[in-house]
Amino acid sequence: MKIGFSTGSIALDDVQRGLDIATHCRTNAVELSALREDELDPLLQSLDRLENNLKPFGYISFHAPSKREKMSEIEFVGKLRQVADRGWAIIVHPDVIEDFSLWRALGGAVCIENMDKRKKIGRTAAQLERIFDQLPEATFCFDIGHARQVDPTMQEAESFLRCFKHRIRQVHMSYVNSQSRHERLNFESICAFQQVAHWLDKSIPVILETPVRCGEVDDEISAVEKVFAVDV
C-alpha cells in the first residue's frame, strides 16, 4: 500500500517540518498542502528546493487552497499549472470552482474532493456528479472521514465509491469530528471505514489528514492497516 501524510495536517504551513515528520520507513506517499491562499506562492516557490526531500515518496499530490478570496480565478488556476506539469494530482474543493473552462485546461490533474457537512456542495455523490459532468477528465479524492461525518451509516460513502470508483486517485483518511476538525483515527472511525474498505483497491494511495507528532506516525499507519485488514 501507498500510505503517507498531508504536510498541512502535521505542520500547517511549515512544509519542511511536515516532510521531516512524514518521512518514515513505512510511508511512501505525501500530500503537499497549501490549504490557505497565502500559502500557495511560498509552497510553489519551494518545490525545486524540496526535490531531495520528496525523493522517498512514490506518490506526491498537492492540496490547493480551500478558499479563493484575493486572486482571480484565472490567476489561481494559472499558478496551479506548474503542479499539473509535474504530473501530480491537485486536490480541489468543488466550491472554489466557478469557471469550469479554466479548470478543464488542467485535465486529469484536477482531483475533486468530497466535502464535509459545512459545505453547500460536494457532500453527496449526486452533487459531485454535476461537477464531474463539467470536468470529464477530473479524478476523485475520496475523503472517507468527510463521507462518514455527512452520513454515519456509510451509505453515502458507498454511493461515492459505486459512482466514482473508476475516478479515485487517492483517499483522504482521518476521524472528522462534529466541528469538522480532523483528528487521529479511533476505534469508531476504523470500524466505520472497514464497512466500505473492500471498494478500495490497495494500490490507491491513502493520505492521512491526522495531526500526529513524530512518535505517533507508526501507530497511525498501523491504524490504517486495520481498516483494510477486515473484509466486510
Side-chain angles (χ1 to χ4, degrees):
M1 292 183 66
K2 292 186 176 71
I3 302 174
F5 289 85
S6 162
T7 59
S9 68
I10 52 182
L12 300 178
D13 63 341
D14 189 344
V15 176
Q16 182 63 68
R17 179 171 173 269
L19 286 171
D20 290 343
I21 297 172
T23 303
H24 184 277
C25 63
R26 294 176 69 190
T27 60
N28 50 11
V30 72
E31 180 180 278
L32 303 176
S33 177
L35 203 57
R36 295 158 191 83
E37 193 176 21
D38 60 3
E39 296 171 7
L40 181 58
D41 281 340
L43 180 52
L44 291 174
Q45 291 162 10
S46 71
L47 293 181
D48 289 338
R49 176 175 55 82
L50 293 172
E51 274 191 10
N52 286 335
N53 300 88
L54 296 173
K55 285 181 178 178
F57 302 107
Y59 175 83
I60 302 166
S61 62
F62 188 103
H63 202 307
S66 60
K67 293 181 180 179
R68 181 179 52 79
E69 298 172 332
K70 301 174 185 176
M71 296 183 206
S72 68
E73 191 170 13
I74 191 168
E75 179 185 12
F76 190 79
V77 175
K79 288 177 182 290
L80 294 171
R81 165 54 63 186
Q82 65 175 285
V83 181
D85 289 344
R86 290 174 181 264
W88 299 346
I90 303 171
I91 312 306
V92 179
H93 288 189
D95 56 340
V96 305
I97 300 173
E98 294 179 16
D99 185 343
F100 284 97
S101 67
L102 294 174
W103 294 88
R104 280 195 290 272
L106 297 179
V110 177
C111 189
I112 301 294
E113 179 181 357
N114 59 295
M115 295 287 92
D116 62 39
K117 66 180 185 180
R118 297 172 299 173
K119 299 296 184 81
K120 294 181 179 180
I121 62 171
R123 300 186 310 269
T124 67
Q127 290 173 343
L128 277 197
E129 184 74 59
R130 294 192 287 270
I131 303 294
F132 286 123
D133 284 346
Q134 295 290 329
L135 298 170
E137 293 184 68
T139 56
F140 179 36
C141 173
F142 175 52
D143 193 310
I144 192 170
H146 286 169
R148 180 193 167 276
Q149 187 215 40
V150 169
D151 178 11
T153 70
M154 300 304 286
Q155 290 183 6
E156 194 60 46
E158 189 162 332
S159 293
F160 280 120
L161 294 167
R162 186 182 300 110
C163 293
F164 309 125
K165 184 178 180 181
H166 63 292
R167 292 186 185 269
I168 298 176
R169 190 159 180 182
Q170 72 170 50
V171 172
H172 272 168
M173 190 174 289
S174 66
Y175 170 69
V176 180
N177 67 22
S178 58
Q179 287 77 46
S180 297
R181 296 191 181 94
H182 294 273
E183 297 181 0
R184 292 187 62 188
L185 298 177
N186 55 20
F187 179 77
E188 180 184 357
S189 58
I190 290 170
C191 289
F193 298 166
Q194 285 174 340
Q195 295 178 47
V196 297
H198 62 282
W199 284 91
L200 295 167
D201 191 281
K202 291 186 179 180
S203 65
I204 298 169
V206 175
I207 298 294
L208 284 154
E209 292 190 301
T210 53
V212 298
R213 293 171 291 188
C214 280
E216 299 168 334
V217 169
D218 206 53
D219 286 344
E220 201 70 1
I221 293 172
S222 294
V224 177
E225 292 173 342
K226 288 179 183 177
V227 171
F228 293 94
V230 176
D231 292 325
V232 178

